[in-house]
Amino acid sequence: NPYFLCGCLTFLPSLALSSTLPHDTSPWTHPELLLILFALGASLGIFLKIRRELLALRRLRDHELREREDILQAMIDASPEAIFLMTQDGMVLAANNGLHHRLNVTAESLIGKNIYDFLPPEIASSRRQQVEKAIETGESLVFEDERDGRNIIHHLYPLSNKHGDPAKIAIFALDETEYRQSEQALQSTTA
């Protein structure tokens, strides 16, 4: 490797080279200075090459992460049910199209906002209590409530941070209204 060789040559004692040459005050006539400058240039070249390769790896990693995030978002968007991730106090971190449709809002108006601001006060209060219970126990929780004549079953899953404390809540809100209506219709026809 020529870079390695140049680097080794910079460690040669300067007296060994300059003792055999006539004394000259010009810095450009000293071979050890030229070798040092050459080695510095080679080192800079190696540094720039490594930097370019690291930047290329970072761009590749970032691209792969974005691709993976897009795949995960597409998977949760495939569900017609409301799926979202929020902080303990209700700030929406991520949500699928099912939640946007259910609340009749865009993703831009929901992400970073408090979920309880999109609900009637009595429902917001009831759901907040359930979330607090799940956070307190650190256990998953299932509860049902009704909103606008729709029966919604909520599955709450507290997600712990690196210290083991519940930090976020994953929520799956399943609309059971049509299923219940079909079940009631079936029961009334068999009765």
Side-chain angles (χ1 to χ4, degrees), residues 92-137:
V92 178
L93 301 172
N96 74 336
N97 289 334
L99 182 65
H100 303 147
H101 293 306
R102 190 169 293 167
L103 296 176
N104 198 26
V105 297
T106 64
E108 295 79 28
S109 64
L110 185 61
I111 303 298
K113 304 293 188 317
N114 195 300
I115 189 70
Y116 302 119
D117 294 340
F118 295 89
L119 302 171
E122 66 280 356
I123 292 176
S125 175
S126 168
R127 291 185 184 175
R128 189 183 304 263
Q129 289 173 357
Q130 297 295 337
V131 167
E132 288 171 0
K133 188 188 302 183
I135 290 169
E136 225 174 75
T137 63

mmCIF file of all heavy atoms in Angstrom, residues 92-137:
data_model
loop_
_atom_site.group_PDB
_atom_site.id
_atom_site.type_symbol
_atom_site.label_atom_id
_atom_site.label_comp_id
_atom_site.label_asym_id
_atom_site.label_seq_id
_atom_site.Cartn_x
_atom_site.Cartn_y
_atom_site.Cartn_z
ATOM 1 N N VAL A 92 -50.468 12.024 19.879
ATOM 2 C CA VAL A 92 -50.405 10.999 18.839
ATOM 3 C C VAL A 92 -49.038 11.045 18.159
ATOM 4 O O VAL A 92 -48.628 12.073 17.641
ATOM 5 C CB VAL A 92 -51.538 11.194 17.810
ATOM 6 C CG1 VAL A 92 -51.436 10.161 16.705
ATOM 7 C CG2 VAL A 92 -52.898 11.124 18.492
ATOM 8 N N LEU A 93 -48.344 9.911 18.183
ATOM 9 C CA LEU A 93 -47.015 9.800 17.568
ATOM 10 C C LEU A 93 -47.089 9.189 16.173
ATOM 11 O O LEU A 93 -46.325 9.557 15.286
ATOM 12 C CB LEU A 93 -46.097 8.956 18.449
ATOM 13 C CG LEU A 93 -45.879 9.475 19.868
ATOM 14 C CD1 LEU A 93 -45.124 8.452 20.697
ATOM 15 C CD2 LEU A 93 -45.141 10.798 19.831
ATOM 16 N N ALA A 94 -47.990 8.255 15.985
ATOM 17 C CA ALA A 94 -48.175 7.591 14.695
ATOM 18 C C ALA A 94 -49.605 7.080 14.646
ATOM 19 O O ALA A 94 -50.178 6.729 15.685
ATOM 20 C CB ALA A 94 -47.191 6.433 14.537
ATOM 21 N N ALA A 95 -50.166 7.052 13.443
ATOM 22 C CA ALA A 95 -51.551 6.590 13.301
ATOM 23 C C ALA A 95 -51.752 6.052 11.899
ATOM 24 O O ALA A 95 -51.051 6.432 10.968
ATOM 25 C CB ALA A 95 -52.518 7.732 13.574
ATOM 26 N N ASN A 96 -52.726 5.169 11.774
ATOM 27 C CA ASN A 96 -53.038 4.631 10.455
ATOM 28 C C ASN A 96 -54.231 5.379 9.855
ATOM 29 O O ASN A 96 -54.863 6.213 10.500
ATOM 30 C CB ASN A 96 -53.279 3.122 10.513
ATOM 31 C CG ASN A 96 -54.618 2.768 11.128
ATOM 32 O OD1 ASN A 96 -55.200 3.530 11.901
ATOM 33 N ND2 ASN A 96 -55.116 1.588 10.804
ATOM 34 N N ASN A 97 -54.529 5.046 8.600
ATOM 35 C CA ASN A 97 -55.649 5.687 7.913
ATOM 36 C C ASN A 97 -56.981 5.393 8.590
ATOM 37 O O ASN A 97 -57.905 6.204 8.527
ATOM 38 C CB ASN A 97 -55.698 5.243 6.445
ATOM 39 C CG ASN A 97 -54.567 5.838 5.641
ATOM 40 O OD1 ASN A 97 -54.037 6.893 5.981
ATOM 41 N ND2 ASN A 97 -54.174 5.151 4.577
ATOM 42 N N GLY A 98 -57.083 4.223 9.240
ATOM 43 C CA GLY A 98 -58.323 3.880 9.938
ATOM 44 C C GLY A 98 -58.682 4.903 11.008
ATOM 45 O O GLY A 98 -59.849 5.273 11.160
ATOM 46 N N LEU A 99 -57.689 5.388 11.741
ATOM 47 C CA LEU A 99 -57.961 6.409 12.769
ATOM 48 C C LEU A 99 -58.310 7.732 12.108
ATOM 49 O O LEU A 99 -59.235 8.421 12.551
ATOM 50 C CB LEU A 99 -56.754 6.579 13.698
ATOM 51 C CG LEU A 99 -56.963 7.596 14.826
ATOM 52 C CD1 LEU A 99 -58.053 7.141 15.788
ATOM 53 C CD2 LEU A 99 -55.671 7.848 15.575
ATOM 54 N N HIS A 100 -57.609 8.079 11.038
ATOM 55 C CA HIS A 100 -57.914 9.337 10.348
ATOM 56 C C HIS A 100 -59.351 9.345 9.857
ATOM 57 O O HIS A 100 -60.062 10.334 10.014
ATOM 58 C CB HIS A 100 -56.970 9.554 9.167
ATOM 59 C CG HIS A 100 -55.524 9.559 9.557
ATOM 60 N ND1 HIS A 100 -54.546 9.079 8.725
ATOM 61 C CD2 HIS A 100 -54.889 9.962 10.673
ATOM 62 C CE1 HIS A 100 -53.372 9.200 9.314
ATOM 63 N NE2 HIS A 100 -53.558 9.718 10.505
ATOM 64 N N HIS A 101 -59.794 8.210 9.274
ATOM 65 C CA HIS A 101 -61.165 8.120 8.770
ATOM 66 C C HIS A 101 -62.174 8.153 9.912
ATOM 67 O O HIS A 101 -63.211 8.812 9.805
ATOM 68 C CB HIS A 101 -61.354 6.852 7.935
ATOM 69 C CG HIS A 101 -60.572 6.854 6.658
ATOM 70 N ND1 HIS A 101 -60.645 7.854 5.712
ATOM 71 C CD2 HIS A 101 -59.667 5.970 6.176
ATOM 72 C CE1 HIS A 101 -59.847 7.591 4.706
ATOM 73 N NE2 HIS A 101 -59.222 6.458 4.963
ATOM 74 N N ARG A 102 -61.870 7.438 10.980
ATOM 75 C CA ARG A 102 -62.812 7.376 12.093
ATOM 76 C C ARG A 102 -63.013 8.748 12.733
ATOM 77 O O ARG A 102 -64.118 9.109 13.113
ATOM 78 C CB ARG A 102 -62.335 6.372 13.147
ATOM 79 C CG ARG A 102 -63.403 6.102 14.191
ATOM 80 C CD ARG A 102 -63.068 4.944 15.066
ATOM 81 N NE ARG A 102 -63.075 3.695 14.306
ATOM 82 C CZ ARG A 102 -62.588 2.550 14.748
ATOM 83 N NH1 ARG A 102 -62.046 2.488 15.944
ATOM 84 N NH2 ARG A 102 -62.627 1.466 14.022
ATOM 85 N N LEU A 103 -61.937 9.510 12.839
ATOM 86 C CA LEU A 103 -62.048 10.847 13.435
ATOM 87 C C LEU A 103 -62.341 11.924 12.396
ATOM 88 O O LEU A 103 -62.546 13.082 12.741
ATOM 89 C CB LEU A 103 -60.753 11.196 14.180
ATOM 90 C CG LEU A 103 -60.414 10.320 15.384
ATOM 91 C CD1 LEU A 103 -59.068 10.724 15.960
ATOM 92 C CD2 LEU A 103 -61.498 10.394 16.440
ATOM 93 N N ASN A 104 -62.319 11.539 11.108
ATOM 94 C CA ASN A 104 -62.568 12.453 9.998
ATOM 95 C C ASN A 104 -61.575 13.621 9.992
ATOM 96 O O ASN A 104 -61.957 14.787 9.911
ATOM 97 C CB ASN A 104 -64.018 12.958 10.015
ATOM 98 C CG ASN A 104 -64.419 13.538 8.683
ATOM 99 O OD1 ASN A 104 -63.874 13.184 7.651
ATOM 100 N ND2 ASN A 104 -65.379 14.453 8.707
ATOM 101 N N VAL A 105 -60.293 13.281 10.109
ATOM 102 C CA VAL A 105 -59.216 14.279 10.087
ATOM 103 C C VAL A 105 -58.089 13.788 9.189
ATOM 104 O O VAL A 105 -58.013 12.606 8.865
ATOM 105 C CB VAL A 105 -58.649 14.557 11.504
ATOM 106 C CG1 VAL A 105 -59.704 15.157 12.413
ATOM 107 C CG2 VAL A 105 -58.067 13.300 12.127
ATOM 108 N N THR A 106 -57.199 14.685 8.815
ATOM 109 C CA THR A 106 -56.021 14.300 8.022
ATOM 110 C C THR A 106 -54.896 13.899 8.963
ATOM 111 O O THR A 106 -54.907 14.250 10.150
ATOM 112 C CB THR A 106 -55.550 15.480 7.155
ATOM 113 O OG1 THR A 106 -55.126 16.533 8.014
ATOM 114 C CG2 THR A 106 -56.645 15.962 6.223
ATOM 115 N N ALA A 107 -53.933 13.205 8.417
ATOM 116 C CA ALA A 107 -52.768 12.789 9.219
ATOM 117 C C ALA A 107 -52.028 14.010 9.747
ATOM 118 O O ALA A 107 -51.574 14.024 10.887
ATOM 119 C CB ALA A 107 -51.830 11.927 8.382
ATOM 120 N N GLU A 108 -51.923 15.047 8.913
ATOM 121 C CA GLU A 108 -51.188 16.250 9.322
ATOM 122 C C GLU A 108 -51.848 16.937 10.514
ATOM 123 O O GLU A 108 -51.170 17.513 11.354
ATOM 124 C CB GLU A 108 -51.092 17.240 8.157
ATOM 125 C CG GLU A 108 -50.281 16.732 6.983
ATOM 126 C CD GLU A 108 -51.058 15.762 6.085
ATOM 127 O OE1 GLU A 108 -52.297 15.855 6.001
ATOM 128 O OE2 GLU A 108 -50.410 14.895 5.483
ATOM 129 N N SER A 109 -53.177 16.871 10.590
ATOM 130 C CA SER A 109 -53.854 17.549 11.697
ATOM 131 C C SER A 109 -53.901 16.700 12.962
ATOM 132 O O SER A 109 -54.285 17.191 14.018
ATOM 133 C CB SER A 109 -55.278 17.938 11.289
ATOM 134 O OG SER A 109 -56.052 16.783 11.040
ATOM 135 N N LEU A 110 -53.487 15.426 12.870
ATOM 136 C CA LEU A 110 -53.573 14.521 14.019
ATOM 137 C C LEU A 110 -52.217 14.253 14.677
ATOM 138 O O LEU A 110 -52.109 14.279 15.905
ATOM 139 C CB LEU A 110 -54.213 13.199 13.573
ATOM 140 C CG LEU A 110 -54.500 12.167 14.637
ATOM 141 C CD1 LEU A 110 -55.472 12.712 15.671
ATOM 142 C CD2 LEU A 110 -55.084 10.918 14.005
ATOM 143 N N ILE A 111 -51.192 14.009 13.880
ATOM 144 C CA ILE A 111 -49.874 13.677 14.429
ATOM 145 C C ILE A 111 -49.331 14.867 15.225
ATOM 146 O O ILE A 111 -49.335 15.996 14.758
ATOM 147 C CB ILE A 111 -48.884 13.283 13.317
ATOM 148 C CG1 ILE A 111 -49.431 12.118 12.493
ATOM 149 C CG2 ILE A 111 -47.509 12.960 13.893
ATOM 150 C CD1 ILE A 111 -49.664 10.838 13.260
ATOM 151 N N GLY A 112 -48.892 14.583 16.450
ATOM 152 C CA GLY A 112 -48.356 15.637 17.319
ATOM 153 C C GLY A 112 -49.423 16.347 18.121
ATOM 154 O O GLY A 112 -49.111 17.215 18.930
ATOM 155 N N LYS A 113 -50.677 15.963 17.921
ATOM 156 C CA LYS A 113 -51.781 16.583 18.659
ATOM 157 C C LYS A 113 -52.281 15.607 19.719
ATOM 158 O O LYS A 113 -52.014 14.418 19.678
ATOM 159 C CB LYS A 113 -52.935 16.940 17.711
ATOM 160 C CG LYS A 113 -52.557 17.832 16.558
ATOM 161 C CD LYS A 113 -52.160 19.204 17.011
ATOM 162 C CE LYS A 113 -51.953 20.208 15.921
ATOM 163 N NZ LYS A 113 -51.255 19.870 14.740
ATOM 164 N N ASN A 114 -53.078 16.132 20.657
ATOM 165 C CA ASN A 114 -53.617 15.296 21.717
ATOM 166 C C ASN A 114 -54.888 14.618 21.235
ATOM 167 O O ASN A 114 -55.827 15.289 20.787
ATOM 168 C CB ASN A 114 -53.889 16.148 22.965
ATOM 169 C CG ASN A 114 -54.093 15.295 24.181
ATOM 170 O OD1 ASN A 114 -54.997 14.470 24.233
ATOM 171 N ND2 ASN A 114 -53.238 15.480 25.175
ATOM 172 N N ILE A 115 -54.938 13.300 21.333
ATOM 173 C CA ILE A 115 -56.085 12.520 20.852
ATOM 174 C C ILE A 115 -57.370 12.914 21.566
ATOM 175 O O ILE A 115 -58.449 12.904 20.978
ATOM 176 C CB ILE A 115 -55.820 10.994 20.987
ATOM 177 C CG1 ILE A 115 -56.902 10.167 20.285
ATOM 178 C CG2 ILE A 115 -55.734 10.580 22.440
ATOM 179 C CD1 ILE A 115 -56.858 10.248 18.788
ATOM 180 N N TYR A 116 -57.257 13.313 22.828
ATOM 181 C CA TYR A 116 -58.447 13.639 23.603
ATOM 182 C C TYR A 116 -59.135 14.905 23.105
ATOM 183 O O TYR A 116 -60.321 15.100 23.346
ATOM 184 C CB TYR A 116 -58.092 13.760 25.086
ATOM 185 C CG TYR A 116 -57.474 12.494 25.639
ATOM 186 C CD1 TYR A 116 -56.188 12.503 26.172
ATOM 187 C CD2 TYR A 116 -58.152 11.286 25.607
ATOM 188 C CE1 TYR A 116 -55.603 11.350 26.672
ATOM 189 C CE2 TYR A 116 -57.577 10.119 26.094
ATOM 190 C CZ TYR A 116 -56.304 10.161 26.627
ATOM 191 O OH TYR A 116 -55.738 9.015 27.109
ATOM 192 N N ASP A 117 -58.402 15.749 22.370
ATOM 193 C CA ASP A 117 -59.002 16.962 21.807
ATOM 194 C C ASP A 117 -59.953 16.650 20.657
ATOM 195 O O ASP A 117 -60.748 17.502 20.268
ATOM 196 C CB ASP A 117 -57.912 17.926 21.302
ATOM 197 C CG ASP A 117 -57.062 18.473 22.431
ATOM 198 O OD1 ASP A 117 -57.504 18.439 23.604
ATOM 199 O OD2 ASP A 117 -55.936 18.928 22.145
ATOM 200 N N PHE A 118 -59.894 15.429 20.115
ATOM 201 C CA PHE A 118 -60.741 15.037 18.990
ATOM 202 C C PHE A 118 -61.979 14.263 19.440
ATOM 203 O O PHE A 118 -62.753 13.814 18.601
ATOM 204 C CB PHE A 118 -59.936 14.187 17.997
ATOM 205 C CG PHE A 118 -58.823 14.945 17.346
ATOM 206 C CD1 PHE A 118 -57.564 14.994 17.930
ATOM 207 C CD2 PHE A 118 -59.026 15.627 16.163
ATOM 208 C CE1 PHE A 118 -56.530 15.696 17.331
ATOM 209 C CE2 PHE A 118 -58.001 16.333 15.561
ATOM 210 C CZ PHE A 118 -56.751 16.376 16.144
ATOM 211 N N LEU A 119 -62.141 14.107 20.754
ATOM 212 C CA LEU A 119 -63.246 13.315 21.304
ATOM 213 C C LEU A 119 -64.160 14.190 22.154
ATOM 214 O O LEU A 119 -63.711 15.172 22.745
ATOM 215 C CB LEU A 119 -62.687 12.179 22.182
ATOM 216 C CG LEU A 119 -61.727 11.206 21.504
ATOM 217 C CD1 LEU A 119 -61.101 10.279 22.526
ATOM 218 C CD2 LEU A 119 -62.442 10.409 20.422
ATOM 219 N N PRO A 120 -65.433 13.807 22.255
ATOM 220 C CA PRO A 120 -66.316 14.519 23.190
ATOM 221 C C PRO A 120 -65.763 14.396 24.615
ATOM 222 O O PRO A 120 -65.143 13.377 24.954
ATOM 223 C CB PRO A 120 -67.654 13.786 23.054
ATOM 224 C CG PRO A 120 -67.581 13.074 21.730
ATOM 225 C CD PRO A 120 -66.123 12.774 21.506
ATOM 226 N N PRO A 121 -65.965 15.409 25.452
ATOM 227 C CA PRO A 121 -65.349 15.435 26.789
ATOM 228 C C PRO A 121 -65.610 14.193 27.642
ATOM 229 O O PRO A 121 -64.686 13.690 28.285
ATOM 230 C CB PRO A 121 -65.944 16.684 27.435
ATOM 231 C CG PRO A 121 -66.362 17.546 26.297
ATOM 232 C CD PRO A 121 -66.721 16.629 25.173
ATOM 233 N N GLU A 122 -66.839 13.673 27.647
ATOM 234 C CA GLU A 122 -67.132 12.514 28.499
ATOM 235 C C GLU A 122 -66.419 11.259 28.008
ATOM 236 O O GLU A 122 -65.933 10.458 28.803
ATOM 237 C CB GLU A 122 -68.646 12.284 28.635
ATOM 238 C CG GLU A 122 -69.367 11.870 27.364
ATOM 239 C CD GLU A 122 -69.692 13.027 26.405
ATOM 240 O OE1 GLU A 122 -69.430 14.198 26.743
ATOM 241 O OE2 GLU A 122 -70.167 12.732 25.294
ATOM 242 N N ILE A 123 -66.318 11.090 26.705
ATOM 243 C CA ILE A 123 -65.598 9.936 26.157
ATOM 244 C C ILE A 123 -64.099 10.102 26.381
ATOM 245 O O ILE A 123 -63.401 9.156 26.748
ATOM 246 C CB ILE A 123 -65.926 9.740 24.670
ATOM 247 C CG1 ILE A 123 -67.394 9.306 24.541
ATOM 248 C CG2 ILE A 123 -65.011 8.717 24.026
ATOM 249 C CD1 ILE A 123 -67.882 9.162 23.128
ATOM 250 N N ALA A 124 -63.598 11.320 26.182
ATOM 251 C CA ALA A 124 -62.170 11.590 26.407
ATOM 252 C C ALA A 124 -61.793 11.269 27.846
ATOM 253 O O ALA A 124 -60.757 10.643 28.105
ATOM 254 C CB ALA A 124 -61.841 13.040 26.068
ATOM 255 N N SER A 125 -62.645 11.666 28.786
ATOM 256 C CA SER A 125 -62.380 11.421 30.206
ATOM 257 C C SER A 125 -62.354 9.923 30.508
ATOM 258 O O SER A 125 -61.459 9.426 31.198
ATOM 259 C CB SER A 125 -63.435 12.125 31.058
ATOM 260 O OG SER A 125 -63.272 11.802 32.410
ATOM 261 N N SER A 126 -63.330 9.194 29.974
ATOM 262 C CA SER A 126 -63.410 7.750 30.203
ATOM 263 C C SER A 126 -62.198 7.031 29.614
ATOM 264 O O SER A 126 -61.589 6.173 30.262
ATOM 265 C CB SER A 126 -64.691 7.211 29.579
ATOM 266 O OG SER A 126 -64.680 5.815 29.530
ATOM 267 N N ARG A 127 -61.814 7.410 28.405
ATOM 268 C CA ARG A 127 -60.678 6.748 27.759
ATOM 269 C C ARG A 127 -59.363 7.115 28.440
ATOM 270 O O ARG A 127 -58.469 6.294 28.552
ATOM 271 C CB ARG A 127 -60.635 7.091 26.271
ATOM 272 C CG ARG A 127 -61.802 6.444 25.536
ATOM 273 C CD ARG A 127 -61.744 6.654 24.074
ATOM 274 N NE ARG A 127 -62.941 6.096 23.436
ATOM 275 C CZ ARG A 127 -63.209 6.212 22.164
ATOM 276 N NH1 ARG A 127 -62.368 6.849 21.366
ATOM 277 N NH2 ARG A 127 -64.304 5.697 21.657
ATOM 278 N N ARG A 128 -59.261 8.334 28.911
ATOM 279 C CA ARG A 128 -58.050 8.757 29.631
ATOM 280 C C ARG A 128 -57.880 7.901 30.896
ATOM 281 O O ARG A 128 -56.768 7.499 31.227
ATOM 282 C CB ARG A 128 -58.140 10.232 29.993
ATOM 283 C CG ARG A 128 -56.840 10.797 30.558
ATOM 284 C CD ARG A 128 -56.985 12.247 30.981
ATOM 285 N NE ARG A 128 -57.443 13.139 29.954
ATOM 286 C CZ ARG A 128 -56.657 13.913 29.201
ATOM 287 N NH1 ARG A 128 -55.358 13.893 29.384
ATOM 288 N NH2 ARG A 128 -57.167 14.710 28.289
ATOM 289 N N GLN A 129 -58.986 7.622 31.592
ATOM 290 C CA GLN A 129 -58.917 6.788 32.798
ATOM 291 C C GLN A 129 -58.418 5.385 32.464
ATOM 292 O O GLN A 129 -57.625 4.811 33.212
ATOM 293 C CB GLN A 129 -60.289 6.711 33.470
ATOM 294 C CG GLN A 129 -60.708 7.995 34.131
ATOM 295 C CD GLN A 129 -62.153 7.923 34.645
ATOM 296 O OE1 GLN A 129 -62.846 6.918 34.457
ATOM 297 N NE2 GLN A 129 -62.594 9.007 35.284
ATOM 298 N N GLN A 130 -58.875 4.832 31.348
ATOM 299 C CA GLN A 130 -58.436 3.499 30.943
ATOM 300 C C GLN A 130 -56.941 3.497 30.607
ATOM 301 O O GLN A 130 -56.215 2.571 30.969
ATOM 302 C CB GLN A 130 -59.252 3.002 29.748
ATOM 303 C CG GLN A 130 -60.730 2.830 30.035
ATOM 304 C CD GLN A 130 -61.007 1.739 31.053
ATOM 305 O OE1 GLN A 130 -60.212 0.821 31.264
ATOM 306 N NE2 GLN A 130 -62.142 1.824 31.717
ATOM 307 N N VAL A 131 -56.493 4.540 29.924
ATOM 308 C CA VAL A 131 -55.068 4.653 29.579
ATOM 309 C C VAL A 131 -54.235 4.751 30.857
ATOM 310 O O VAL A 131 -53.201 4.090 30.990
ATOM 311 C CB VAL A 131 -54.816 5.856 28.645
ATOM 312 C CG1 VAL A 131 -53.336 6.186 28.543
ATOM 313 C CG2 VAL A 131 -55.404 5.580 27.268
ATOM 314 N N GLU A 132 -54.684 5.564 31.806
ATOM 315 C CA GLU A 132 -53.960 5.709 33.072
ATOM 316 C C GLU A 132 -53.889 4.381 33.812
ATOM 317 O O GLU A 132 -52.855 4.049 34.404
ATOM 318 C CB GLU A 132 -54.620 6.784 33.932
ATOM 319 C CG GLU A 132 -54.377 8.186 33.404
ATOM 320 C CD GLU A 132 -55.200 9.258 34.124
ATOM 321 O OE1 GLU A 132 -55.983 8.919 35.051
ATOM 322 O OE2 GLU A 132 -55.061 10.437 33.740
ATOM 323 N N LYS A 133 -54.963 3.605 33.752
ATOM 324 C CA LYS A 133 -54.972 2.293 34.404
ATOM 325 C C LYS A 133 -53.941 1.358 33.752
ATOM 326 O O LYS A 133 -53.195 0.661 34.433
ATOM 327 C CB LYS A 133 -56.363 1.666 34.314
ATOM 328 C CG LYS A 133 -56.505 0.388 35.129
ATOM 329 C CD LYS A 133 -57.823 -0.324 34.891
ATOM 330 C CE LYS A 133 -59.028 0.522 35.186
ATOM 331 N NZ LYS A 133 -60.301 -0.224 35.001
ATOM 332 N N ALA A 134 -53.879 1.371 32.426
ATOM 333 C CA ALA A 134 -52.915 0.526 31.711
ATOM 334 C C ALA A 134 -51.485 0.956 32.035
ATOM 335 O O ALA A 134 -50.603 0.114 32.225
ATOM 336 C CB ALA A 134 -53.162 0.590 30.209
ATOM 337 N N ILE A 135 -51.252 2.255 32.124
ATOM 338 C CA ILE A 135 -49.912 2.756 32.453
ATOM 339 C C ILE A 135 -49.547 2.382 33.882
ATOM 340 O O ILE A 135 -48.429 1.949 34.159
ATOM 341 C CB ILE A 135 -49.842 4.280 32.249
ATOM 342 C CG1 ILE A 135 -49.901 4.598 30.764
ATOM 343 C CG2 ILE A 135 -48.578 4.872 32.869
ATOM 344 C CD1 ILE A 135 -50.097 6.058 30.460
ATOM 345 N N GLU A 136 -50.498 2.540 34.791
ATOM 346 C CA GLU A 136 -50.260 2.224 36.204
ATOM 347 C C GLU A 136 -49.878 0.761 36.404
ATOM 348 O O GLU A 136 -48.933 0.452 37.126
ATOM 349 C CB GLU A 136 -51.551 2.512 36.993
ATOM 350 C CG GLU A 136 -51.358 3.255 38.275
ATOM 351 C CD GLU A 136 -52.712 3.606 38.866
ATOM 352 O OE1 GLU A 136 -53.370 2.690 39.412
ATOM 353 O OE2 GLU A 136 -53.101 4.779 38.762
ATOM 354 N N THR A 137 -50.609 -0.129 35.746
ATOM 355 C CA THR A 137 -50.360 -1.562 35.928
ATOM 356 C C THR A 137 -49.245 -2.075 35.021
ATOM 357 O O THR A 137 -48.640 -3.098 35.308
ATOM 358 C CB THR A 137 -51.637 -2.373 35.635
ATOM 359 O OG1 THR A 137 -52.000 -2.194 34.263
ATOM 360 C CG2 THR A 137 -52.776 -1.968 36.550
#
